């Protein structure tokens, strides 16, 4: 499989000539070359993780596309055939096995309601928690997409999360709100946490890829 990091929180995974997109939101360059996509996973309803425009472009290019997300996404994206999933669910679509974890978005502030959020494990190898630090239970994570900067987190929490998951490899996501200086700082801290567990940290930029 090949993972390509897109801007902010978006990823595309390719296997056996088919594609899976995760969280194509408003900070991601419009996705116009998506043929061969069998599924989209949306971890939660915030528009930095999905937009109607991104979803429409992918849907129009791929008849039969399946879209997965928690109940909050199904309600927010009611114009699309979102299949609701919950923590503990497993789905197989094309060459991809999807397992879902967590259930709730990390707290931003007491004044802001907490919404649905699901982490997704792809083919028992790649894990992306969306906007949460939900840890997949009893899973040896090969590749971890770890948040680098957000209104709902501080870098110490992300470091603790990486140490708890102890992935073989990790790379940053959710970083479009950071300056170059901020990215450099978060990469250094996340690399330290990854290496503490014997893993390798890969400071991927949009367009970079890795095979797993």
């Amino acid at each position: 499989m090949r993972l390509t990091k897109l801007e902010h929180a978006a990823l595309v995974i390719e296997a056996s000539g088919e594609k899976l997109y995760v969280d194509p939101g408003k900070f991601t360059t419009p996705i116009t070359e998506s043929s061969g996509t069998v599924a989209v996973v949306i971890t939660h309803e915030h528009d930095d993780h999905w937009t109607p425009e991104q979803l429409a472009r992918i849907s129009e290019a791929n008849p039969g596309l399946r879209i997965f997300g928690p109940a909050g996404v199904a309600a927010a994206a009611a114009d699309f055939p979102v299949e609701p999933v919950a923590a503990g669910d497993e789905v197989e679509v094309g060459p991809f096995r999807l397992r879902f974890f967590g259930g709730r978005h990390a707290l931003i502030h007491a004044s802001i309601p907490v919404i649905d959020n699901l982490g997704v494990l792809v083919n028992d190898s790649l894990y992306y928690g969306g906007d949460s630090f939900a840890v997949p239970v009893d899973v040896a994570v090969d590749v971890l997409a770890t948040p680098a900067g957000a209104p709902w987190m501080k870098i110490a929490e992300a470091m603790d999360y990486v140490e708890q998951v102890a992935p073989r490899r990790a790379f940053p996501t959710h970083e479009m709100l950071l300056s170059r200086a901020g990215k450099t700082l978060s990469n250094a801290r996340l690399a330290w946490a990854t290496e503490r567990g014997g893993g390798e940290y890969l400071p991927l930029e949009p367009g970079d890829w890795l095979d797993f």
Side-chain angles (χ1 to χ4, degrees):
M1 290 186 294
R2 173 163 292 183
L3 174 150
T4 301
K5 174 181 166 55
L6 306 179
E7 294 90 352
H8 196 53
L11 311 171
V12 57
I13 300 99
E14 300 175 71
S16 302
E18 297 184 307
K19 297 176 184 176
L20 165 71
Y21 279 90
V22 180
D23 281 3
K26 69 178 182 179
F27 297 140
T28 303
T29 298
I31 294 168
T32 58
E33 302 294 332
S34 66
S35 61
T37 301
V38 295
V40 175
V41 171
I42 302 170
T43 60
H44 64 285
E45 65 197 75
H46 288 157
D47 63 1
D48 59 328
H49 292 256
W50 84 283
T51 66
E53 296 79 11
Q54 294 278 38
L55 208 50
R57 279 188 288 266
I58 299 171
S59 298
E60 289 165 6
N62 297 280
L65 178 77
R66 297 179 69 184
I67 305 167
F68 303 98
V73 168
D79 291 338
F80 297 91
V82 177
E83 301 178 40
V85 287
D89 286 351
E90 297 184 13
V91 176
E92 292 199 15
V93 52
F96 304 107
R97 179 187 184 214
L98 310 175
R99 298 173 60 194
F100 297 95
F101 296 86
R104 304 298 283 168
H105 193 288
L107 179 68
I108 302 171
H109 186 264
S111 65
I112 300 173
V114 176
I115 61 171
D116 294 337
N117 178 95
L118 287 174
V120 61
L121 179 70
V122 180
N123 289 357
D124 294 317
S125 182
L126 165 69
Y127 183 67
Y128 171 54
D131 282 10
S132 80
F133 292 121
V135 174
V137 179
D138 298 325
V139 173
V141 174
D142 180 19
V143 180
L144 176 68
T146 183
W152 49 269
M153 60 160 277
K154 58 184 179 181
I155 197 64
E157 295 171 320
M159 293 167 70
D160 289 344
Y161 172 64
V162 172
E163 285 197 87
Q164 186 175 3
V165 176
R168 191 166 73 87
R169 290 174 287 181
F171 69 94
T173 188
H174 211 288
E175 83 285 42
M176 286 295 283
L177 300 181
L178 297 178
S179 66
R180 172 47 58 188
K183 288 183 180 182
T184 299
L185 185 150
S186 65
N187 279 334
R189 299 290 185 263
L190 295 173
W192 178 89
T194 305
E195 291 162 5
R196 284 258 296 180
E200 177 186 11
Y201 185 74
L202 305 169
L204 299 185
E205 294 286 341
D208 290 347
W209 54 269
L210 65 88
D211 291 330
F212 66 104

